[in-house]
Amino acid sequence: MSSAGLSDSLDSDTLERDREEDLFVHRSHFPALGVENRTYFNYGGQGVMCGVALDAINQNFRHIESLGCFSNAAGDWMVSEYNATKTAIAKEFQVSPTTITLTENTTVGCNIALWAVDWKQGDRLLLSDCEHPGIIAAAVQIQKRFGIEIDYFPLTNTRNASADGNDSETVVELLVQHLQPQTRMVMLSHICWNTGQVLPLKAIAKACHDQNVLVAVDAAQSVGVLPLNLADIAADFYAFTTHKWWCAPLGLGALYIRPEIFEVIEPVFVGWRGLTGKLPIPQWRQDGAKFEVASSTYALYESMRIAIAHANSWGTQLQRYQRICQLSKIVWEQLDALPHIDCIRQLPPESGLISFKVNQELIPSSSPSVIANKSHALIAKHLESEHQILIRALPDPDCLRASVHYLTSIADIERLISVFATIN
């Protein structure tokens, strides 16, 4: 399909500003996207930062030095940065800043959720079979320490279900079938990192709460993609990072905690930020700070706020999500049309993640392509070294994953498809 053909497939009625001309100007603020001949499809691993956000990091470290390290002035500045950052995050989710815990990444937030529960021997934790290894490892450690049981429900079997259609009920029903009287918590992803499936999270939360089961969410792939109202969704924990789809610096994440559960969960990492300052010690704050520890890299906070504001300067989150879905559909359709490519999901994506396999059995043995007969991990390395196409190989399922962002251009898509089209 030509550039004109791809462009025509974008719905200009719903995305009035989503035109390649506008995107070219917007992308020019991102140094990594200006590297000649580079094509970036790794937003699900790490986003690219705009120049203003990069500059703010250096400026803020210097600002702290100019105020005087550990001075009252520097302390006041850090408090203002802390408050402004919680406010900015909370605004994106339509919740109160008091519900936000600042962390370093998604995994820290998920660990807080998992370890904050007062587990007893015989309690049960339910996971999907699509969770990240970091989540599974944390669950196993809890099992070893407290003697809980870990159950898994086969979410993989529903990978072609939609998030909002009638078939979304099959996901909820499958999960409920695996709840047991001793189940204390369900932990799952809002968008599955390996398939791109979007789960009907609001319906899942309601079904779990009806049985007094907590819901913890790995939101690494959903924040910066989906329009979110966390109060309406009503998950108990919603852990995420800001360095992926929000294109903020590494080392910044957060956790939303539903305020109704603050009093029944315990701190995991303990430090002065979680204390009220009253005697006797400890007296815990009953907001998101209850789960924070101590000093953080405050110099990064403004950079994260700049990243969010920069994205918001190019339409609403809903508009950006619509563009992501439209571009993802194009990638999925073009890949699916190639005889030697098998897409993991058999319907147009509802997120920016498209996972697919190269079916080596359908590639002629006489094919001159250097990609032929290579593992997906080697294909990803080859694409980076020889074509400057950055894409990820996943272990389970064994496949490649392209991450499509609102920043993705039609030219990016053309380059990706042309490489795989020439395998034969």
Side-chain angles (χ1 to χ4, degrees), residues 145-220:
R145 182 168 298 185
F146 300 109
I148 72 167
E149 299 296 332
I150 303 173
D151 301 308
Y152 296 88
F153 71 97
L155 181 61
T156 301
N157 295 349
T158 72
R159 64 178 174 269
N160 290 316
S162 62
D164 299 316
N166 292 332
D167 54 355
S168 67
E169 297 177 1
T170 63
V171 178
V172 181
E173 291 170 356
L174 179 66
L175 184 152
V176 170
Q177 289 170 10
H178 286 78
L179 294 177
Q180 299 188 43
Q182 296 80 22
T183 304
R184 295 282 304 280
M185 174 183 281
V186 171
M187 171 158 271
L188 39 67
S189 300
H190 198 168
I191 296 179
C192 295
W193 74 293
N194 50 6
T195 66
Q197 180 181 0
V198 183
L199 301 193
L201 188 56
K202 181 178 178 179
I204 287 173
K206 183 181 184 306
C208 290
H209 289 163
D210 286 346
Q211 299 195 33
N212 296 316
V213 175
L214 293 168
V215 178
V217 182
D218 177 342

Side-chain angles (χ1 to χ4, degrees), residues 260-282:
E260 289 83 353
I261 68 169
F262 275 126
E263 293 186 1
V264 299
I265 52 177
E266 296 294 332
V268 176
F269 310 111
V270 174
W272 58 263
R273 263 169 50 183
L275 301 174
T276 63
K278 298 177 181 179
L279 297 175
I281 296 173

Side-chain angles (χ1 to χ4, degrees), residues 63-65 67-80 298:
H63 183 60
I64 294 171
E65 298 292 324
L67 291 174
C69 295
F70 213 70
S71 65
N72 288 325
D76 290 343
W77 178 83
M78 290 176 185
V79 170
S80 68
Y298 301 100

Side-chain angles (χ1 to χ4, degrees), residues 194-195 342-345 353-356 394 399-401:
N194 50 6
T195 66
D342 297 326
C343 291
I344 299 300
R345 300 189 75 214
L353 301 179
I354 303 101
S355 295
F356 59 97
L394 300 181
C399 66
L400 296 170
R401 186 188 72 184

Side-chain angles (χ1 to χ4, degrees), residues 99 101 112 236-238 255-259 261-262 265 288 291:
T99 64
T101 298
I112 291 173
D236 297 293
F237 301 93
Y238 200 84
L255 169 69
Y256 164 80
I257 302 176
R258 194 164 66 95
I261 68 169
F262 275 126
I265 52 177
F291 300 92

